[in-house]
Coordinates of all heavy atoms in Angstrom, one line a residue:
S197 N -176.4 -79.9 -9.7 CA -176.5 -79.1 -8.5 C -176.7 -80.0 -7.3 O -177.5 -80.9 -7.4 CB -177.6 -78.1 -8.6 OG -177.8 -77.3 -7.4
A198 N -175.9 -79.8 -6.2 CA -176.1 -80.6 -5.0 C -176.1 -82.1 -5.2 O -177.0 -82.8 -4.6 CB -177.4 -80.1 -4.3
G199 N -175.2 -82.6 -6.0 CA -175.1 -84.1 -6.2 C -176.2 -84.7 -7.0 O -176.3 -85.9 -7.0
R200 N -176.9 -83.9 -7.8 CA -178.0 -84.4 -8.7 C -177.9 -83.8 -10.0 O -177.4 -82.7 -10.2 CB -179.4 -84.2 -8.1 CG -179.6 -84.9 -6.8 CD -181.0 -84.6 -6.2 NE -181.4 -85.5 -5.1 CZ -181.0 -85.3 -3.8 NH1 -180.4 -84.2 -3.5 NH2 -181.4 -86.1 -2.9
V201 N -178.4 -84.5 -11.0 CA -178.6 -83.9 -12.4 C -179.8 -83.0 -12.3 O -180.9 -83.5 -12.1 CB -178.7 -84.9 -13.5 CG1 -179.0 -84.3 -14.8 CG2 -177.4 -85.7 -13.6
F202 N -179.6 -81.7 -12.5 CA -180.7 -80.7 -12.5 C -181.4 -80.6 -13.8 O -182.6 -80.3 -13.9 CB -180.1 -79.4 -12.0 CG -181.1 -78.3 -11.6 CD1 -181.7 -78.5 -10.4 CD2 -181.4 -77.2 -12.4 CE1 -182.6 -77.5 -10.0 CE2 -182.3 -76.3 -12.0 CZ -182.9 -76.4 -10.8
A203 N -180.6 -80.7 -14.9 CA -181.2 -80.6 -16.3 C -180.2 -81.2 -17.2 O -179.0 -81.2 -16.9 CB -181.5 -79.2 -16.6
E204 N -180.6 -81.6 -18.4 CA -179.7 -82.0 -19.5 C -180.5 -81.8 -20.8 O -181.7 -81.8 -20.9 CB -179.3 -83.5 -19.3 CG -180.5 -84.5 -19.3 CD -180.0 -85.9 -19.2 OE1 -179.2 -86.3 -20.1 OE2 -180.4 -86.6 -18.3
G205 N -179.7 -81.5 -21.8 CA -180.2 -81.3 -23.1 C -179.3 -80.7 -24.1 O -178.1 -80.6 -23.8
A206 N -179.7 -80.4 -25.3 CA -178.9 -79.8 -26.3 C -178.4 -78.4 -25.9 O -179.0 -77.8 -25.0 CB -179.7 -79.7 -27.6
H207 N -177.3 -78.0 -26.5 CA -176.6 -76.8 -26.1 C -177.5 -75.5 -26.3 O -177.3 -74.5 -25.7 CB -175.3 -76.6 -26.8 CG -175.4 -76.3 -28.2 ND1 -175.7 -77.3 -29.2 CD2 -175.4 -75.1 -28.9 CE1 -175.8 -76.7 -30.4 NE2 -175.6 -75.4 -30.3
D208 N -178.5 -75.7 -27.2 CA -179.4 -74.6 -27.5 C -180.7 -74.7 -26.9 O -181.7 -74.0 -27.3 CB -179.5 -74.4 -29.1 CG -180.0 -75.7 -29.7 OD1 -180.2 -76.7 -29.1 OD2 -180.2 -75.6 -31.0
D209 N -180.9 -75.6 -26.0 CA -182.2 -75.9 -25.3 C -182.4 -74.8 -24.3 O -181.6 -74.6 -23.3 CB -182.1 -77.2 -24.6 CG -183.5 -77.7 -24.1 OD1 -184.3 -76.8 -23.7 OD2 -183.7 -78.9 -24.0
T210 N -183.5 -74.0 -24.4 CA -183.7 -72.9 -23.5 C -184.1 -73.4 -22.1 O -183.8 -72.6 -21.1 CB -184.9 -72.0 -24.0 OG1 -186.0 -72.8 -24.3 CG2 -184.5 -71.3 -25.3
T211 N -184.6 -74.6 -22.0 CA -184.8 -75.1 -20.7 C -183.5 -75.4 -19.9 O -183.4 -75.1 -18.7 CB -185.6 -76.5 -20.8 OG1 -186.9 -76.2 -21.4 CG2 -185.9 -77.0 -19.4
V212 N -182.5 -75.9 -20.7 CA -181.2 -76.1 -20.1 C -180.6 -74.7 -19.7 O -180.0 -74.6 -18.6 CB -180.3 -76.8 -21.1 CG1 -178.8 -76.8 -20.6 CG2 -180.8 -78.2 -21.3
H213 N -180.8 -73.7 -20.5 CA -180.2 -72.4 -20.2 C -180.9 -71.9 -18.9 O -180.2 -71.3 -18.1 CB -180.5 -71.4 -21.4 CG -179.8 -71.8 -22.6 ND1 -180.1 -71.1 -23.8 CD2 -178.9 -72.7 -22.9 CE1 -179.3 -71.6 -24.8 NE2 -178.6 -72.6 -24.2
A214 N -182.2 -72.0 -18.8 CA -182.9 -71.6 -17.6 C -182.4 -72.3 -16.3 O -182.1 -71.7 -15.3 CB -184.4 -71.8 -17.7
A215 N -182.1 -73.6 -16.5 CA -181.6 -74.4 -15.3 C -180.2 -73.9 -15.0 O -179.8 -73.8 -13.8 CB -181.6 -75.9 -15.7
L216 N -179.4 -73.6 -16.0 CA -178.0 -73.2 -15.8 C -178.0 -71.8 -15.0 O -177.2 -71.7 -14.0 CB -177.3 -73.0 -17.1 CG -175.8 -72.8 -17.1 CD1 -175.1 -73.9 -16.4 CD2 -175.3 -72.7 -18.6
M217 N -178.9 -70.9 -15.4 CA -179.0 -69.6 -14.7 C -179.5 -69.9 -13.2 O -179.0 -69.2 -12.3 CB -179.9 -68.7 -15.4 CG -179.3 -68.2 -16.8 SD -180.2 -66.9 -17.6 CE -181.6 -67.9 -18.3
A218 N -180.4 -70.8 -13.1 CA -180.9 -71.1 -11.7 C -179.9 -71.6 -10.8 O -179.8 -71.2 -9.6 CB -182.1 -72.0 -11.8
V219 N -179.1 -72.6 -11.2 CA -178.1 -73.2 -10.3 C -177.0 -72.2 -9.9 O -176.3 -72.4 -8.9 CB -177.5 -74.5 -10.9 CG1 -178.6 -75.5 -11.1 CG2 -176.7 -74.3 -12.1
F220 N -176.8 -71.2 -10.7 CA -175.8 -70.1 -10.4 C -176.5 -68.9 -9.8 O -176.0 -67.8 -9.9 CB -175.0 -69.8 -11.6 CG -174.0 -70.8 -12.0 CD1 -174.2 -71.7 -13.0 CD2 -172.8 -70.8 -11.3 CE1 -173.2 -72.6 -13.3 CE2 -171.8 -71.8 -11.5 CZ -172.0 -72.7 -12.6
D221 N -177.7 -69.1 -9.3 CA -178.5 -68.0 -8.6 C -178.6 -66.8 -9.4 O -178.5 -65.6 -8.9 CB -177.8 -67.7 -7.3 CG -177.8 -68.8 -6.3 OD1 -178.8 -69.6 -6.3 OD2 -176.8 -69.0 -5.6
Q222 N -178.8 -66.9 -10.7 CA -179.1 -65.8 -11.7 C -177.9 -64.9 -11.8 O -178.0 -63.7 -12.2 CB -180.3 -65.0 -11.3 CG -181.6 -65.9 -11.1 CD -182.0 -66.7 -12.3 OE1 -181.8 -66.2 -13.5 NE2 -182.5 -67.9 -12.1
A223 N -176.7 -65.4 -11.4 CA -175.5 -64.5 -11.5 C -175.0 -64.4 -12.9 O -174.1 -63.6 -13.3 CB -174.4 -65.1 -10.6
I224 N -175.5 -65.3 -13.8 CA -175.2 -65.3 -15.2 C -176.5 -65.2 -16.0 O -177.6 -65.5 -15.5 CB -174.4 -66.5 -15.7 CG1 -175.2 -67.8 -15.4 CG2 -173.1 -66.6 -14.9 CD1 -174.7 -69.0 -16.2
C225 N -176.4 -64.8 -17.3 CA -177.5 -64.9 -18.2 C -176.9 -65.5 -19.5 O -175.8 -65.3 -19.8 CB -178.2 -63.6 -18.4 SG -177.2 -62.2 -19.0
I226 N -177.8 -66.2 -20.2 CA -177.4 -66.8 -21.5 C -178.0 -65.9 -22.6 O -179.2 -65.6 -22.7 CB -178.0 -68.2 -21.6 CG1 -177.6 -69.0 -20.3 CG2 -177.4 -68.9 -22.9 CD1 -176.2 -69.2 -20.1
Q227 N -177.1 -65.6 -23.5 CA -177.5 -64.7 -24.7 C -177.1 -65.4 -26.0 O -176.1 -66.1 -26.1 CB -176.8 -63.3 -24.6 CG -177.3 -62.6 -23.3 CD -176.6 -61.2 -23.3 OE1 -175.7 -60.9 -24.1 NE2 -177.0 -60.4 -22.3
R228 N -177.9 -65.1 -27.0 CA -177.5 -65.6 -28.3 C -176.5 -64.7 -29.0 O -176.7 -63.4 -28.9 CB -178.8 -65.7 -29.2 CG -178.5 -66.3 -30.6 CD -179.7 -66.3 -31.5 NE -180.6 -67.3 -31.1 CZ -180.5 -68.6 -31.6 NH1 -179.6 -68.9 -32.4 NH2 -181.4 -69.5 -31.2

């Protein structure tokens, strides 16, 4: 996001999922 690494980790890392939703302004949600 904005020229920086906001988060990184395994594909099933819930912290990464939260970061992904945050950078897209909660327009998406991650579901199992």
Side-chain angles (χ1 to χ4, degrees):
S197 180
R200 294 179 171 86
V201 172
F202 195 73
E204 58 176 304
H207 71 282
D208 57 356
D209 188 330
T210 56
T211 302
V212 171
H213 296 172
L216 191 55
M217 291 186 285
V219 300
F220 284 101
D221 296 325
Q222 308 302 324
I224 62 163
C225 57
I226 310 298
Q227 298 180 353
R228 180 184 286 274

